Amino acid sequence: MALSGPVSHRTRVGIVGAGPAGLLLSHLLARAGIESVVVENHSREYCEKRQRAGLLEHGTVELLREVGLGARLEAEGIEHGGIYLQFAGERHHLDFRELTDSTVTIYAQTEIVKDLIAARLAGGQHLEFSVTDTAVTDIDTDRPLLHYTDSGGVRHEVTCDVIAGCDGFHGICSVAAPAEQVWERVYPFSWLGVLADVAPSTDELIYAHHVDGFALHSIRSPEVSRLYLQVPATDEISQWPDDRVWAALQHRFALPGWTLQEGPIREKSLTPLRSYVRSPMRRGRLFLAGDAAHIVPPTGAKGLNLAVRDVARLATALTEWLGQGDPRLADAYADDSLRRVWRATHFSWWMTSMLHTVPGDDFNLALQLSQLRQTTTSRAAATTLAENYTGVAAA
Ligand SMILES: Cc1cc2nc3c(=O)[nH]c(=O)nc-3n(C[C@H](O)[C@H](O)[C@H](O)COP(=O)(O)OP(=O)(O)OC[C@H]3O[C@@H](n4cnc5c(N)ncnc54)[C@H](O)[C@@H]3O)c2cc1C
């Protein structure tokens, strides 16, 4: 009996992962006339519902507009000109417009993913959900291979010019391209995030330092609030019933004359906080982008923005290389990206260290309050935060 092998295909760029990085890379390459195949191990529905980032730097918004993804973003995105920093019973406003002439925009990652999937499918791009057993091989040759089994159980082998590993922190591509050096910091706390069906109680995000732990009031839409609590890394969601979540939020945000509105909690999640950078971001013909190459704690709202900047740079580099035969930008990709990654890594670590409390460490607490006071009273210190937050300072 003859045994049938995998179905063979040919493409220019094989992309692992249909998160923001993989989908946007495919979109940018298609605009430059370069074909790609994207494979994703979750369903389309799962990808479109996974709650994560919500805050876009000005440069991210500009890029999405330029590449035809601005329609819903313009209609539904909420532009913010600053943030509030709360500590020691006071709330201070940092005015980004005034300090840096720049803004940020609230538009959920779920919506960007929906826009990108719709654009990819409308463009007739090869996008496969619910695949299993993804593997990349032959990355040190001119013809790297992407292998996967589709949702119907059929095995495929795609011959590529280049493979892009956009498969997040737990993906397979970073394993296929072992790092020469890794820098990592695991923090002793997590973020308990809730999505609540209640109008936000604030016009801009509130970052609240509190002796019991950090709290963040973020916004998803005029009807939906996103709220976070610092909790010990050892906690489990079952320890945080809704009434305990609201009580802790009320306590940490408390301010005379201001009320935190409560509503039904639709979703709850725990995110461990971690900083992680690996080098290099490339091995042979396998390039890593987004969370596959680096992780920042969400305090600086940088992860999604970094992923977008990685693939913007990678798309240009691959267009020059595969389109015009010039490999210089592709060769520079890893080093150029790392400079920007380290800027975001420092800012995210700094915001995390300034705002999250360590039980029993009064020395640390006093340093944090001093830093917060300086950030809200010195124009130079406030501008440094604003430049990093809006992305004006991106290397
Ligand atoms: C609670 C929270 C809040 C955040 N807030 C912000 C914020 O405000 N601003 C900001 O900029 N960032 C924020 N981030 C970070 C941001 O969400 C991530 O940095 C972003 O998702 C990175 O995109 P990515 O495409 O690189 O990776 P991912 O979004 O992780 O996508 C990777 C994809 O690859 C798929 N995959 C994995 N393994 C395989 C495989 N073997 N085969 C096929 N597919 C595979 C995964 O299913 C996934 O769909 C936040 C993150 C969290 C958790």
Side-chain angles (χ1 to χ4, degrees):
M1 192 174 75
L3 288 174
S4 60
V7 179
S8 296
H9 310 260
R10 175 78 175 93
T11 193
R12 306 299 306 276
V13 182
I15 300 176
V16 186
L23 290 166
L24 181 60
L25 178 62
S26 170
H27 183 79
L28 297 174
L29 290 172
R31 285 174 62 87
I34 294 178
E35 186 207 26
S36 63
V37 169
V38 182
V39 297
E40 162 62 47
N41 61 0
H42 283 102
S43 67
R44 175 178 180 180
E45 192 193 15
Y46 179 90
C47 292
E48 291 185 341
K49 284 198 174 148
R50 185 172 36 196
Q51 286 301 326
R52 282 185 159 185
L55 203 135
L56 308 183
E57 292 174 354
H58 182 67
T60 300
V61 173
E62 291 283 286
L63 174 79
L64 295 175
R65 278 197 191 124
E66 275 167 26
V67 299
L69 295 163
R72 271 203 326 130
L73 173 59
E74 300 249 335
E76 296 172 29
I78 308 169
E79 191 177 8
H80 279 191
I83 56 167
Y84 295 100
L85 278 181
Q86 180 173 328
F87 57 96
E90 301 163 12
R91 188 174 292 169
H92 301 259
H93 186 242
L94 292 193
D95 189 336
F96 296 163
R97 273 197 194 92
E98 202 258 319
L99 292 165
T100 64
D101 201 20
S102 191
T103 58
V104 290
T105 296
I106 298 280
Y107 188 64
Q109 182 166 329
T110 46
E111 306 314 301
I112 295 181
V113 167
K114 280 182 206 160
D115 293 346
L116 277 164
I117 289 174
R120 294 298 61 240
L121 295 176
Q125 206 75 20
H126 190 156
L127 173 52
E128 293 255 7
F129 290 99
S130 305
V131 308
T132 50
D133 298 323
T134 316
V136 297
T137 61
D138 300 68
I139 57 173
D140 291 322
T141 73
D142 287 351
R143 289 286 177 266
L145 297 173
L146 168 62
H147 314 259
Y148 67 95
T149 301
D150 69 24
S151 55
V154 178
R155 191 77 181 148
H156 296 258
E157 181 181 278
V158 190
T159 304
C160 312
D161 292 330
V162 159
I163 294 178
C166 302
D167 49 348
F169 187 58
H170 300 289
I172 49 118
C173 290
S174 56
V175 180
E180 286 165 18
Q181 189 164 6
V182 164
W183 298 263
E184 188 168 28
R185 172 133 323 165
V186 179
Y187 302 88
F189 32 76
S190 299
W191 274 19
L192 177 80
V194 300
L195 199 63
D197 287 318
V198 58
S201 306
T202 178
D203 57 339
E204 292 184 338
L205 272 58
I206 307 170
Y207 286 76
H209 174 277
H210 191 280
V211 67
D212 284 2
F214 169 68
L216 172 63
H217 189 331
S218 185
I219 294 168
R220 278 293 176 268
S221 73
E223 298 83 31
V224 181
S225 299
R226 181 81 167 141
L227 298 134
Y228 298 98
L229 284 169
Q230 173 192 345
V231 301
T234 46
D235 274 16
E236 294 184 8
I237 288 196
S238 57
Q239 292 171 256
W240 286 91
D242 295 3
D243 52 353
R244 185 178 175 205
V245 170
W246 284 117
L249 289 167
Q250 293 289 2
H251 183 58
R252 296 186 195 182
F253 284 120
L255 207 62
W258 181 82
T259 308
L260 175 67
Q261 302 295 341
E262 298 185 14
I265 291 181
R266 196 199 301 174
E267 210 184 294
K268 232 181 259 173
S269 60
L270 268 181
T271 306
L273 264 59
R274 178 193 299 271
S275 297
Y276 173 92
V277 182
R278 54 155 290 147
S279 177
M281 286 170 63
R282 171 189 182 178
R283 169 159 172 189
R285 290 197 172 226
L286 173 59
F287 292 75
L288 301 178
D291 279 14
H294 39 73
I295 294 284
V296 285
T299 329
K302 287 287 161 245
L304 171 61
N305 293 295
L306 269 183
V308 166
R309 287 184 187 254
D310 278 357
V311 295
R313 194 175 284 254
L314 185 56
T316 307
L318 294 181
T319 304
E320 297 266 306
W321 190 21
L322 304 180
Q324 276 100 52
D326 182 348
R328 280 176 298 175
L329 287 181
D331 289 343
Y333 167 75
D335 288 343
D336 287 354
S337 301
L338 271 181
R339 270 195 288 280
R340 195 168 16 81
V341 169
W342 274 113
R343 177 84 308 276
T345 299
H346 174 265
F347 177 65
S348 303
W349 164 84
W350 178 73
M351 287 283 281
T352 303
S353 309
M354 179 169 70
L355 289 162
H356 293 70
T357 48
V358 181
D361 191 342
D362 290 346
F363 179 73
N364 190 51
L365 191 69
L367 289 179
Q368 291 176 325
L369 291 172
S370 170
Q371 178 77 80
L372 283 160
R373 198 154 306 281
Q374 190 196 28
T375 304
T376 49
T377 53
S378 151
R379 185 178 175 88
T383 304
T384 298
L385 188 152
E387 283 179 346
N388 281 278
Y389 198 95
T390 57
V392 172

